[in-house]
Amino acid sequence: MDADQRIRAAIEAHWRASDAGEVEAEHALYATDAVLDYPQSGERFRGRTAIAAQRGGHPAERRFTVQRISGAGELWVSECIITYDGAPTHSVSIMQFTGEEVAHETQYFADPFPAPESRAGLAERMR
């Protein structure tokens, strides 16, 4: 396996562990001094321990469905649907790696919304 294949496998394992609620395995790919940013809420978490603690304390039941993982080298993007107590939220995770560990991650979240009627003739429905 080359480095990109190992990183992709680690990201896939991360999302499987996230879905299973396996907190230690979920955070195994983060460097001990990793940084996680949530721009929409203005929060920054420093260190694997803080990142794991804030996710481990989430009150909702969470499920993760990976739509796509793209990347190479030190920059990787995951598109996911995260359900919180059954309500879906779209998420984009941008991970910057140093070696084979996440040094910095930025996550964006967006709730689904109805398409305006004015675009009905221009668009096709996504699943």
Side-chain angles (χ1 to χ4, degrees):
M1 244 191 229
D2 68 17
D4 282 353
Q5 290 170 324
R6 287 190 302 273
I7 289 173
R8 176 178 290 279
I11 294 169
E12 290 169 349
H14 162 76
W15 292 118
R16 279 192 307 274
S18 297
D19 189 57
E22 298 169 356
V23 176
E24 189 173 321
E26 176 182 0
H27 297 90
L29 82 164
Y30 292 90
T32 56
D33 61 348
V35 173
L36 169 64
D37 290 336
Y38 289 164
Q40 290 157 294
S41 63
E43 295 172 287
R44 172 169 285 166
F45 303 92
R46 291 189 183 275
R48 181 191 308 143
T49 302
I51 294 167
Q54 67 86 22
R55 286 182 177 152
H58 202 287
E61 178 187 336
R62 301 178 303 155
R63 298 306 309 255
F64 295 79
T65 303
V66 176
Q67 301 294 298
R68 177 169 52 178
I69 298 172
S70 305
E74 63 183 38
L75 189 63
W76 290 80
V77 177
S78 298
E79 297 174 55
C80 303
I81 296 174
I82 306 172
T83 58
Y84 297 95
D85 291 333
T89 296
H90 294 264
S91 174
V92 174
S93 166
I94 303 167
M95 294 178 168
Q96 181 179 347
F97 283 76
T98 299
E100 294 184 16
E101 293 184 314
V102 174
H104 187 218
E105 179 181 20
T106 302
Q107 270 193 297
Y108 296 94
F109 305 91
D111 292 333
F113 57 89
E117 227 11 77
S118 62
R119 296 195 305 237
L122 303 172
E124 59 186 73
R125 296 299 304 160
M126 296 172 56
R127 63 174 188 98

